[in-house]
Amino acid sequence: MSNTHKWWYDAVVYQVYVRSFADGEPVPGDGIGDLPGITARLPHLRDLGVDALWITPFYRSPQKDHGYDVADYEDVDPLFGELADFDALLARAHELGLRVIVDLVPNHTSDQHVWFRAALAAEPGSPERARYLFRDGRGPAGDEPPNNWSSVFGGSAWTRVADGQWYLHLFDSTQPDLDWRNPEVGDMFEGVLRFWLDRGVDGFRVDVAHGLYKEASLRDQVIPEETKGRKKQAESMVERVLRDEPMWEQPEVHDVYRRWRKVLEEYDGDRMAVAEAWTQTAESMAQFIRPDELHQAFNFGWLGTPWSAKDFAAVITSSIAAVATAAAAPTWVLSNHDVVRHPTRYGGGEVGLARGRAATLAMLALPGSAYLYQGEELGLEQVDVPPEARQDPSWFRTGQPGRDGCRVPLPWSGSAPPYGFGGADGTQPWIPQPTDWGGLTVEAQEADPDSTLAFYRRALATRRTVFTGAEEATTAEADGDLLVVRRAGVTVVVNTGDLPVPLPAGEVLISSTAVSDDGMLPPDTAVWLR
Ligand code: NOJ
């Protein structure tokens, strides 16, 4: 059967970063968003016109990586509510016609997970340790890490325990990596999938989907002299910087997703899964979405593309071609909770916002699904969070600013922090909000037809009426500084240059910022023409 008409194939999915969306019960005014806060604000998502929301982890967790360190995969952290609050959220979302995708974190647990606590209490070589990657150290005294791997958050990927063994953590030391070669691990996660599927979730976002398996030898990574210290960037898919990576993209990982696909297909209602896979090439990304594996994978190549018609055209063309080999749907994303918000990446200020809106409008014309990150519909920029307020584990490990600046709680109403985020008693959010966000609140933007919020609502509504088939052929090319995309009788033109250019003929269906009737398309502007 063709996938063409399944809901996720061309859905617009809105990412909710649970700590920063809205603060409701159970601890009113603690300054941290929660599940009842999301439920209360679901009408915002209905009015925006998205099809689904993806909620970042809300499971029991010590919050060392803000939920990506899970201590119990089948319970809600008391910070965010309880299981009944999740059931209420899901029921309300479904009433409003919104699907719900939850996050699954299979690469590592929290160090507070019952398995890891048992592993620490047990002997080297015990079955409890065999669920993780414990190894003896190198050197005569075993006091050097077992290999040269680095944590994504900086420093060594190994931490030593009291009896002298070391355990692997590709992220923070509080996030020990599981050993997926141990069958107990796969069985545990099948149980977790079923737990949430039975509750009625529509899909999963799979964290670090390219991780899970490590090359069995756990050998050293070969790091050429010239790339030492260079971090893997989103751009790598575009640049095709191929590196030796014995910790990522091992062939065995695909069997996990074949197993999960079978589980998902046992359920009715077109349940789906989307991979967060930072693969080295578009081709290796496509392997995660073969017909018997996951349904989608985030296309980070689009997110990493600089403001350039030529580069946009190249990424659109290669992304569509790569997923075609897997007969899957492309996906597009510009911002998420791990990267600098896209208006800031495009230069910030008025220009950054205009470019951000133009890139969004181009994205919404592309086939497949688009993932939006909370706050982009308000045109929020990256915030320079003061050092004393930073909370990202990578900040603590490296001294680099980290990801807090894209995780600042949303402004809903009013003219001063906490901008209706919650906390009627005046409690401030867990990351401080800028004092100049009064004009950016949902309330303020609802009153302004030229606001970014009004633009997003128009764009999503126009997408629904204009692009009705998921599989129309799409072409993208650069004509000098113009990006020209053609799909379903619509021509999308984005002016990435510095000067106005004559607007091609046709009816303007929507523009990213106002276009006057002088027949010119200003710089940093996108239009849909028919
Ligand atoms: C990717 C998540 O998006 C990020 O926020 C998290 O820190 C890492 N995976 C580790 O789970």
Side-chain angles (χ1 to χ4, degrees):
M1 192 170 92
S2 146
N3 277 338
T4 317
H5 298 297
K6 302 228 195 267
W7 69 269
W8 43 264
Y9 195 97
D10 57 356
V12 176
V13 183
Y14 182 100
Q15 181 191 351
V16 170
Y17 190 70
V18 58
R19 297 174 65 93
S20 300
F21 187 69
D23 180 12
E25 303 284 341
V27 195
D30 65 354
I32 299 177
D34 47 41
L35 298 182
I38 299 172
T39 306
R41 293 291 188 182
L42 285 174
H44 172 66
L45 303 188
R46 178 206 48 204
D47 296 346
L48 187 58
V50 300
D51 301 289
L53 57 151
W54 145 37
I55 312 175
T56 58
F58 49 81
Y59 317 112
R60 272 193 190 264
S61 159
Q63 302 290 312
K64 297 289 186 201
D65 189 18
H66 302 130
Y68 285 97
D69 49 321
V70 181
D72 182 345
Y73 290 86
E74 297 182 2
D75 202 1
V76 172
D77 195 279
L79 260 186
F80 304 131
E82 48 189 63
L83 278 169
D85 294 313
F86 179 76
D87 294 339
L89 187 167
L90 190 62
R92 181 74 183 124
H94 285 167
E95 261 171 37
L96 295 175
L98 297 164
R99 309 269 185 162
V100 177
I101 296 172
V102 297
D103 221 306
L104 190 68
V105 188
N107 180 67
H108 44 265
T109 69
S110 158
D111 63 351
Q112 298 306 308
H113 191 279
V114 62
W115 274 8
F116 195 73
R117 292 160 74 115
L120 286 187
E123 305 276 294
S126 60
E128 288 84 357
R129 289 222 170 161
R131 295 167 178 146
Y132 294 90
L133 291 158
F134 279 87
R135 294 291 184 274
D136 292 331
R138 293 201 287 208
D143 57 0
E144 291 163 30
N147 69 26
N148 69 348
W149 298 1
S150 296
S151 153
V152 174
F153 292 160
S156 170
W158 295 91
T159 288
R160 200 169 193 198
V161 301
D163 58 36
Q165 273 209 314
W166 299 72
Y167 66 89
L168 179 73
H169 52 87
L170 292 177
F171 295 88
D172 190 52
S173 57
T174 60
Q175 294 167 296
D177 279 55
L178 288 159
D179 185 354
W180 271 83
R181 294 177 194 279
N182 181 336
E184 270 189 86
V185 173
D187 292 346
M188 192 265 263
F189 277 95
E190 181 172 332
V192 173
L193 276 181
R194 291 184 185 281
F195 178 86
W196 293 102
L197 288 167
D198 288 339
R199 293 198 104 81
V201 303
D202 299 289
F204 298 92
R205 174 266 189 193
V206 183
D207 189 60
V208 197
H210 56 311
L212 281 57
Y213 278 83
K214 285 77 188 166
E215 208 172 293
S217 63
L218 298 185
R219 65 170 174 86
D220 274 350
Q221 178 179 23
V222 179
I223 307 174
E225 214 39 57
E226 66 277 12
T227 64
K228 278 196 175 143
R230 175 165 167 180
K231 262 196 96 186
K232 184 175 171 177
Q233 297 290 330
E235 292 82 8
S236 64
M237 281 205 294
V238 184
E239 290 176 12
R240 302 179 63 94
V241 180
L242 295 173
R243 309 196 325 167
D244 175 48
E245 293 190 327
M247 66 292 279
W248 308 122
E249 290 191 57
Q250 299 302 304
E252 296 92 331
V253 80
H254 296 288
D255 288 334
V256 175
Y257 303 131
R258 293 192 180 102
R259 177 174 179 179
W260 291 5
R261 180 72 175 232
K262 289 201 185 102
V263 173
L264 290 164
E265 286 181 354
E266 279 177 35
Y267 287 78
D268 59 7
D270 295 338
R271 318 292 178 106
M272 56 79 79
V274 54
E276 184 224 19
W278 292 84
T279 61
Q280 297 203 48
T281 64
E283 289 76 16
S284 51
M285 180 189 57
Q287 298 198 342
F288 289 81
I289 47 174
R290 287 177 287 198
D292 60 345
E293 297 196 38
L294 302 179
H295 303 75
Q296 292 183 330
F298 291 137
N299 174 13
F300 292 121
W302 173 245
L303 178 154
T305 307
W307 181 252
S308 138
K310 190 166 133 279
D311 292 327
F312 282 138
V315 168
I316 293 170
T317 305
S318 66
S319 304
I320 292 174
V323 298
T325 63
T331 66
W332 312 96
V333 56
L334 286 166
S335 281
N336 65 34
H337 66 295
D338 291 329
V339 300
V340 172
R341 284 185 177 277
H342 65 276
T344 309
R345 289 204 311 270
Y346 295 141
E350 263 182 47
V351 167
L353 181 59
R355 291 179 175 179
R357 284 166 59 150
T360 298
L361 194 59
M363 172 172 88
L364 291 174
L366 299 174
S369 11
Y371 283 78
L372 308 179
Y373 176 50
Q374 67 179 39
E376 67 170 85
E377 79 280 23
L378 305 177
L380 298 188
E381 280 214 46
Q382 192 77 1
V383 175
D384 187 12
V385 176
E388 63 282 7
R390 292 182 192 155
Q391 315 209 17
D392 185 342
S394 72
W395 157 250
F396 296 119
R397 289 180 70 88
T398 64
Q400 298 299 313
R403 302 165 292 178
D404 298 303
C406 62
R407 299 175 175 181
V408 177
L410 290 192
W412 292 93
S413 59
S415 55
Y419 301 111
F421 174 70
D425 56 1
T427 308
Q428 290 301 314
W430 68 287
I431 302 178
Q433 297 160 308
T435 50
D436 61 357
W437 270 9
L440 295 176
T441 64
V442 173
E443 182 183 52
Q445 297 202 35
E446 275 183 330
D448 173 4
D450 294 326
S451 68
T452 301
L453 177 60
F455 158 69
Y456 266 73
R457 286 181 179 172
R458 269 199 309 278
L460 291 176
T462 312
R463 170 183 163 104
R464 245 176 232 286
T465 56
V466 172
F467 299 110
T468 49
E471 282 184 329
E472 302 103 337
T474 305
T475 60
E477 57 196 9
D479 176 3
D481 287 330
L482 288 191
L483 168 69
V484 182
V485 178
R486 293 196 173 81
R487 178 181 169 211
V490 175
T491 304
V492 180
V493 185
V494 185
N495 183 0
T496 66
D498 296 330
L499 298 171
V501 295
L503 192 59
E507 174 202 359
V508 175
L509 298 173
I510 181 167
S511 60
S512 58
T513 38
V515 178
S516 59
D517 49 15
D518 62 358
M520 301 299 279
L521 180 65
D524 307 322
T525 307
V527 284
W528 292 2
L529 298 165
R530 187 165 54 191

